[in-house]
Amino acid sequence: MNSDALTRGMLFLSLTVMGVLGNGAVICAFLLAMYREGRLLPADAIVLHLASTNLMVVGVRCLLEVLATFNIYNAFNDVGCKAVIFIYRTSRSLSIWLTFVLSAYQCLSVAPPGSRWADARLLVAQYLGCIFLALWVINTSMSVAPLLFAAGVKNDSKLIQNGINVEFCFLSFPSKISRDANGGVQVGRDVVPIVLMAAASLIILAFLYRHSRQVKHLRSGGPITGGRQGQSAERRAAVTVVTLVTLYVLFYGVDNGLWVYTLTVQQTLSSSLISDLRIFFSSLYAAVSPVIIIASNKKVNKQLMCKNRLKVFF
């Protein structure tokens, strides 16, 4: 095994270990909370769903990449390539959209009681299951290209003309137009939530700034007598969401930049380096996000460490 393959394998191995353990811990904590309390709050359900999709990203794509790189098990034949890339693309896009849903819900949570935005938050909570189902249907239908065009590595000139090299597999499109159209759909699917997330984060940051000014004003006028603990929890939740969105913009911004570069190349790259970097950065979000959730969530941390009663995440 050459040094490049060893480095590649170790990087994906680190993502696999961090992602599986981190997302598994978050999932176990919320499942235990649901078992003990009999229900989950909407924000908890969103985080649980997000952790589950992130686990699919690292558990399917990164783990199989590690096994194939170290010649332990190679699942990347024609059928395996279709299945792995389809599941990866679906779970990756679900992770993006669920991060948007989380940021939007938190944005609505800072609205004053009795406002139309507060009513919208109740509506989102009421139809959260329908929102999850719609996201699954939409993102699954937009990820069908690998089922049609993915194949194992072969010595075929057509793969080099209109294909995308992803190390153990090729996406072989029948024409450049179909390749570019598919690429444009994938970029659009990522750009829409990134714009919406950025807007929601700006609203949250504006709320945090206004809230900090109000706290300073109250402290200057005298001691704060009530609501301090709830406001502190709300602030921590908002900061956590903004941090997750910032990571998304950073990691998936690099991912989409590399993807656009791949589409501008006339001929398929002989090396899978660009595709490897794309998979690494998109999987990095799935591996790092549970660390932020656990670190910023005292109650989840307490549940994992002491197995005491799990309270509300937000």
mmCIF file of all heavy atoms in Angstrom, residues 16-49:
data_model
loop_
_atom_site.group_PDB
_atom_site.id
_atom_site.type_symbol
_atom_site.label_atom_id
_atom_site.label_comp_id
_atom_site.label_asym_id
_atom_site.label_seq_id
_atom_site.Cartn_x
_atom_site.Cartn_y
_atom_site.Cartn_z
ATOM 1 N N THR A 16 -14.802 7.835 10.529
ATOM 2 C CA THR A 16 -15.707 6.746 10.883
ATOM 3 C C THR A 16 -15.813 6.575 12.389
ATOM 4 O O THR A 16 -16.915 6.484 12.952
ATOM 5 C CB THR A 16 -15.233 5.429 10.240
ATOM 6 O OG1 THR A 16 -15.157 5.588 8.822
ATOM 7 C CG2 THR A 16 -16.182 4.298 10.577
ATOM 8 N N VAL A 17 -14.663 6.539 13.063
ATOM 9 C CA VAL A 17 -14.660 6.342 14.515
ATOM 10 C C VAL A 17 -15.356 7.503 15.217
ATOM 11 O O VAL A 17 -16.243 7.312 16.067
ATOM 12 C CB VAL A 17 -13.213 6.179 15.033
ATOM 13 C CG1 VAL A 17 -13.197 6.151 16.562
ATOM 14 C CG2 VAL A 17 -12.586 4.909 14.468
ATOM 15 N N MET A 18 -14.971 8.728 14.862
ATOM 16 C CA MET A 18 -15.567 9.907 15.501
ATOM 17 C C MET A 18 -17.061 10.010 15.200
ATOM 18 O O MET A 18 -17.866 10.278 16.102
ATOM 19 C CB MET A 18 -14.857 11.180 15.011
ATOM 20 C CG MET A 18 -15.351 12.460 15.684
ATOM 21 S SD MET A 18 -14.586 13.950 14.980
ATOM 22 C CE MET A 18 -12.856 13.598 15.253
ATOM 23 N N GLY A 19 -17.442 9.769 13.948
ATOM 24 C CA GLY A 19 -18.839 9.914 13.561
ATOM 25 C C GLY A 19 -19.738 8.851 14.150
ATOM 26 O O GLY A 19 -20.842 9.151 14.617
ATOM 27 N N VAL A 20 -19.295 7.603 14.137
ATOM 28 C CA VAL A 20 -20.119 6.517 14.676
ATOM 29 C C VAL A 20 -20.290 6.658 16.185
ATOM 30 O O VAL A 20 -21.410 6.545 16.717
ATOM 31 C CB VAL A 20 -19.507 5.153 14.318
ATOM 32 C CG1 VAL A 20 -20.223 4.032 15.071
ATOM 33 C CG2 VAL A 20 -19.579 4.904 12.812
ATOM 34 N N LEU A 21 -19.202 6.926 16.892
ATOM 35 C CA LEU A 21 -19.291 7.062 18.347
ATOM 36 C C LEU A 21 -20.098 8.300 18.742
ATOM 37 O O LEU A 21 -20.959 8.243 19.628
ATOM 38 C CB LEU A 21 -17.884 7.139 18.955
ATOM 39 C CG LEU A 21 -17.041 5.866 18.862
ATOM 40 C CD1 LEU A 21 -15.669 6.092 19.490
ATOM 41 C CD2 LEU A 21 -17.748 4.698 19.521
ATOM 42 N N GLY A 22 -19.826 9.437 18.092
ATOM 43 C CA GLY A 22 -20.515 10.672 18.455
ATOM 44 C C GLY A 22 -21.999 10.632 18.152
ATOM 45 O O GLY A 22 -22.834 10.910 19.020
ATOM 46 N N ASN A 23 -22.353 10.266 16.919
ATOM 47 C CA ASN A 23 -23.762 10.204 16.564
ATOM 48 C C ASN A 23 -24.484 9.082 17.304
ATOM 49 O O ASN A 23 -25.657 9.237 17.677
ATOM 50 C CB ASN A 23 -23.915 10.011 15.052
ATOM 51 C CG ASN A 23 -23.550 11.251 14.264
ATOM 52 O OD1 ASN A 23 -24.224 12.269 14.319
ATOM 53 N ND2 ASN A 23 -22.450 11.171 13.518
ATOM 54 N N GLY A 24 -23.783 7.981 17.532
ATOM 55 C CA GLY A 24 -24.389 6.899 18.315
ATOM 56 C C GLY A 24 -24.707 7.333 19.732
ATOM 57 O O GLY A 24 -25.752 6.970 20.294
ATOM 58 N N ALA A 25 -23.815 8.128 20.325
ATOM 59 C CA ALA A 25 -24.058 8.621 21.686
ATOM 60 C C ALA A 25 -25.266 9.545 21.736
ATOM 61 O O ALA A 25 -26.095 9.468 22.649
ATOM 62 C CB ALA A 25 -22.817 9.347 22.197
ATOM 63 N N VAL A 26 -25.380 10.441 20.746
ATOM 64 C CA VAL A 26 -26.526 11.360 20.699
ATOM 65 C C VAL A 26 -27.825 10.582 20.505
ATOM 66 O O VAL A 26 -28.835 10.848 21.177
ATOM 67 C CB VAL A 26 -26.344 12.396 19.574
ATOM 68 C CG1 VAL A 26 -27.605 13.247 19.411
ATOM 69 C CG2 VAL A 26 -25.148 13.293 19.868
ATOM 70 N N ILE A 27 -27.826 9.603 19.616
ATOM 71 C CA ILE A 27 -29.029 8.805 19.365
ATOM 72 C C ILE A 27 -29.442 8.045 20.623
ATOM 73 O O ILE A 27 -30.626 8.037 20.997
ATOM 74 C CB ILE A 27 -28.778 7.833 18.200
ATOM 75 C CG1 ILE A 27 -28.619 8.612 16.890
ATOM 76 C CG2 ILE A 27 -29.919 6.825 18.078
ATOM 77 C CD1 ILE A 27 -28.164 7.765 15.721
ATOM 78 N N CYS A 28 -28.478 7.422 21.294
ATOM 79 C CA CYS A 28 -28.793 6.665 22.520
ATOM 80 C C CYS A 28 -29.356 7.575 23.602
ATOM 81 O O CYS A 28 -30.293 7.205 24.323
ATOM 82 C CB CYS A 28 -27.538 5.958 23.022
ATOM 83 S SG CYS A 28 -27.001 4.569 21.994
ATOM 84 N N ALA A 29 -28.790 8.780 23.728
ATOM 85 C CA ALA A 29 -29.252 9.708 24.756
ATOM 86 C C ALA A 29 -30.703 10.103 24.528
ATOM 87 O O ALA A 29 -31.523 10.096 25.462
ATOM 88 C CB ALA A 29 -28.357 10.953 24.775
ATOM 89 N N PHE A 30 -31.065 10.418 23.295
ATOM 90 C CA PHE A 30 -32.436 10.850 23.032
ATOM 91 C C PHE A 30 -33.419 9.683 23.036
ATOM 92 O O PHE A 30 -34.580 9.853 23.413
ATOM 93 C CB PHE A 30 -32.507 11.603 21.709
ATOM 94 C CG PHE A 30 -32.016 13.020 21.813
ATOM 95 C CD1 PHE A 30 -30.858 13.417 21.185
ATOM 96 C CD2 PHE A 30 -32.709 13.954 22.559
ATOM 97 C CE1 PHE A 30 -30.404 14.723 21.283
ATOM 98 C CE2 PHE A 30 -32.272 15.262 22.669
ATOM 99 C CZ PHE A 30 -31.107 15.644 22.032
ATOM 100 N N LEU A 31 -32.986 8.495 22.609
ATOM 101 C CA LEU A 31 -33.862 7.332 22.705
ATOM 102 C C LEU A 31 -34.142 6.984 24.159
ATOM 103 O O LEU A 31 -35.267 6.601 24.522
ATOM 104 C CB LEU A 31 -33.234 6.141 21.982
ATOM 105 C CG LEU A 31 -33.201 6.218 20.453
ATOM 106 C CD1 LEU A 31 -32.534 4.980 19.873
ATOM 107 C CD2 LEU A 31 -34.601 6.387 19.880
ATOM 108 N N LEU A 32 -33.124 7.112 25.004
ATOM 109 C CA LEU A 32 -33.325 6.865 26.429
ATOM 110 C C LEU A 32 -34.256 7.910 27.031
ATOM 111 O O LEU A 32 -35.103 7.605 27.879
ATOM 112 C CB LEU A 32 -31.974 6.874 27.152
ATOM 113 C CG LEU A 32 -31.988 6.496 28.640
ATOM 114 C CD1 LEU A 32 -32.597 5.110 28.826
ATOM 115 C CD2 LEU A 32 -30.577 6.529 29.205
ATOM 116 N N ALA A 33 -34.121 9.149 26.578
ATOM 117 C CA ALA A 33 -35.015 10.208 27.052
ATOM 118 C C ALA A 33 -36.449 9.926 26.629
ATOM 119 O O ALA A 33 -37.394 10.107 27.407
ATOM 120 C CB ALA A 33 -34.557 11.554 26.511
ATOM 121 N N MET A 34 -36.634 9.476 25.395
ATOM 122 C CA MET A 34 -37.979 9.164 24.909
ATOM 123 C C MET A 34 -38.577 7.991 25.688
ATOM 124 O O MET A 34 -39.774 7.976 25.987
ATOM 125 C CB MET A 34 -37.928 8.852 23.418
ATOM 126 C CG MET A 34 -39.282 8.614 22.776
ATOM 127 S SD MET A 34 -39.209 8.545 20.964
ATOM 128 C CE MET A 34 -38.065 7.171 20.732
ATOM 129 N N TYR A 35 -37.738 7.015 26.036
ATOM 130 C CA TYR A 35 -38.215 5.865 26.813
ATOM 131 C C TYR A 35 -38.640 6.284 28.214
ATOM 132 O O TYR A 35 -39.668 5.834 28.724
ATOM 133 C CB TYR A 35 -37.113 4.809 26.881
ATOM 134 C CG TYR A 35 -37.427 3.665 27.812
ATOM 135 C CD1 TYR A 35 -38.323 2.662 27.429
ATOM 136 C CD2 TYR A 35 -36.824 3.589 29.069
ATOM 137 C CE1 TYR A 35 -38.608 1.610 28.287
ATOM 138 C CE2 TYR A 35 -37.109 2.542 29.925
ATOM 139 C CZ TYR A 35 -37.999 1.555 29.533
ATOM 140 O OH TYR A 35 -38.289 0.520 30.390
ATOM 141 N N ARG A 36 -37.885 7.172 28.838
ATOM 142 C CA ARG A 36 -38.181 7.569 30.207
ATOM 143 C C ARG A 36 -39.296 8.589 30.299
ATOM 144 O O ARG A 36 -40.105 8.552 31.220
ATOM 145 C CB ARG A 36 -36.915 8.116 30.872
ATOM 146 C CG ARG A 36 -35.846 7.068 31.116
ATOM 147 C CD ARG A 36 -34.675 7.644 31.876
ATOM 148 N NE ARG A 36 -33.749 6.592 32.286
ATOM 149 C CZ ARG A 36 -32.660 6.800 33.009
ATOM 150 N NH1 ARG A 36 -32.344 8.020 33.385
ATOM 151 N NH2 ARG A 36 -31.884 5.804 33.346
ATOM 152 N N GLU A 37 -39.342 9.503 29.345
ATOM 153 C CA GLU A 37 -40.331 10.579 29.413
ATOM 154 C C GLU A 37 -41.556 10.310 28.549
ATOM 155 O O GLU A 37 -42.553 11.014 28.656
ATOM 156 C CB GLU A 37 -39.687 11.908 29.004
ATOM 157 C CG GLU A 37 -38.542 12.310 29.918
ATOM 158 C CD GLU A 37 -37.992 13.686 29.570
ATOM 159 O OE1 GLU A 37 -38.494 14.301 28.610
ATOM 160 O OE2 GLU A 37 -37.076 14.134 30.263
ATOM 161 N N GLY A 38 -41.462 9.326 27.657
ATOM 162 C CA GLY A 38 -42.604 8.974 26.830
ATOM 163 C C GLY A 38 -42.790 9.842 25.609
ATOM 164 O O GLY A 38 -43.706 9.602 24.815
ATOM 165 N N ARG A 39 -41.941 10.840 25.415
ATOM 166 C CA ARG A 39 -42.074 11.716 24.255
ATOM 167 C C ARG A 39 -40.772 12.475 24.048
ATOM 168 O O ARG A 39 -39.890 12.473 24.905
ATOM 169 C CB ARG A 39 -43.214 12.714 24.451
ATOM 170 C CG ARG A 39 -42.937 13.728 25.554
ATOM 171 C CD ARG A 39 -44.120 14.626 25.816
ATOM 172 N NE ARG A 39 -43.807 15.634 26.829
ATOM 173 C CZ ARG A 39 -43.351 16.850 26.557
ATOM 174 N NH1 ARG A 39 -43.136 17.194 25.296
ATOM 175 N NH2 ARG A 39 -43.109 17.708 27.519
ATOM 176 N N LEU A 40 -40.675 13.122 22.897
ATOM 177 C CA LEU A 40 -39.567 14.019 22.606
ATOM 178 C C LEU A 40 -40.129 15.360 22.162
ATOM 179 O O LEU A 40 -41.113 15.410 21.421
ATOM 180 C CB LEU A 40 -38.672 13.458 21.495
ATOM 181 C CG LEU A 40 -37.660 12.372 21.871
ATOM 182 C CD1 LEU A 40 -36.918 11.925 20.614
ATOM 183 C CD2 LEU A 40 -36.678 12.846 22.916
ATOM 184 N N LEU A 41 -39.514 16.438 22.614
ATOM 185 C CA LEU A 41 -39.891 17.748 22.110
ATOM 186 C C LEU A 41 -39.485 17.863 20.638
ATOM 187 O O LEU A 41 -38.599 17.145 20.172
ATOM 188 C CB LEU A 41 -39.221 18.844 22.935
ATOM 189 C CG LEU A 41 -39.680 18.949 24.391
ATOM 190 C CD1 LEU A 41 -38.954 20.086 25.088
ATOM 191 C CD2 LEU A 41 -41.182 19.147 24.475
ATOM 192 N N PRO A 42 -40.124 18.735 19.871
ATOM 193 C CA PRO A 42 -39.808 18.851 18.445
ATOM 194 C C PRO A 42 -38.328 19.076 18.160
ATOM 195 O O PRO A 42 -37.772 18.464 17.242
ATOM 196 C CB PRO A 42 -40.652 20.056 18.006
ATOM 197 C CG PRO A 42 -41.806 20.055 18.948
ATOM 198 C CD PRO A 42 -41.259 19.596 20.265
ATOM 199 N N ALA A 43 -37.688 19.951 18.935
ATOM 200 C CA ALA A 43 -36.262 20.203 18.711
ATOM 201 C C ALA A 43 -35.440 18.946 18.964
ATOM 202 O O ALA A 43 -34.479 18.666 18.242
ATOM 203 C CB ALA A 43 -35.774 21.341 19.614
ATOM 204 N N ASP A 44 -35.823 18.170 19.982
ATOM 205 C CA ASP A 44 -35.129 16.909 20.252
ATOM 206 C C ASP A 44 -35.301 15.930 19.095
ATOM 207 O O ASP A 44 -34.356 15.234 18.710
ATOM 208 C CB ASP A 44 -35.677 16.274 21.536
ATOM 209 C CG ASP A 44 -35.498 17.159 22.751
ATOM 210 O OD1 ASP A 44 -34.571 17.984 22.746
ATOM 211 O OD2 ASP A 44 -36.282 17.014 23.703
ATOM 212 N N ALA A 45 -36.514 15.867 18.543
ATOM 213 C CA ALA A 45 -36.778 14.958 17.429
ATOM 214 C C ALA A 45 -35.957 15.339 16.203
ATOM 215 O O ALA A 45 -35.462 14.465 15.480
ATOM 216 C CB ALA A 45 -38.274 14.968 17.105
ATOM 217 N N ILE A 46 -35.807 16.643 15.960
ATOM 218 C CA ILE A 46 -34.999 17.098 14.821
ATOM 219 C C ILE A 46 -33.539 16.693 15.010
ATOM 220 O O ILE A 46 -32.887 16.195 14.086
ATOM 221 C CB ILE A 46 -35.125 18.619 14.645
ATOM 222 C CG1 ILE A 46 -36.565 19.008 14.316
ATOM 223 C CG2 ILE A 46 -34.195 19.104 13.524
ATOM 224 C CD1 ILE A 46 -36.804 20.508 14.307
ATOM 225 N N VAL A 47 -33.015 16.915 16.214
ATOM 226 C CA VAL A 47 -31.620 16.554 16.483
ATOM 227 C C VAL A 47 -31.427 15.045 16.377
ATOM 228 O O VAL A 47 -30.411 14.568 15.849
ATOM 229 C CB VAL A 47 -31.197 17.066 17.877
ATOM 230 C CG1 VAL A 47 -29.787 16.591 18.212
ATOM 231 C CG2 VAL A 47 -31.253 18.583 17.928
ATOM 232 N N LEU A 48 -32.385 14.265 16.877
ATOM 233 C CA LEU A 48 -32.302 12.802 16.776
ATOM 234 C C LEU A 48 -32.285 12.367 15.311
ATOM 235 O O LEU A 48 -31.491 11.502 14.921
ATOM 236 C CB LEU A 48 -33.489 12.174 17.505
ATOM 237 C CG LEU A 48 -33.625 10.647 17.396
ATOM 238 C CD1 LEU A 48 -32.386 9.950 17.944
ATOM 239 C CD2 LEU A 48 -34.884 10.168 18.110
ATOM 240 N N HIS A 49 -33.144 12.951 14.505
ATOM 241 C CA HIS A 49 -33.191 12.624 13.078
ATOM 242 C C HIS A 49 -31.895 13.041 12.383
ATOM 243 O O HIS A 49 -31.376 12.318 11.521
ATOM 244 C CB HIS A 49 -34.387 13.328 12.444
ATOM 245 C CG HIS A 49 -34.906 12.628 11.227
ATOM 246 N ND1 HIS A 49 -36.214 12.682 10.826
ATOM 247 C CD2 HIS A 49 -34.283 11.868 10.296
ATOM 248 C CE1 HIS A 49 -36.377 11.985 9.714
ATOM 249 N NE2 HIS A 49 -35.218 11.482 9.365
#
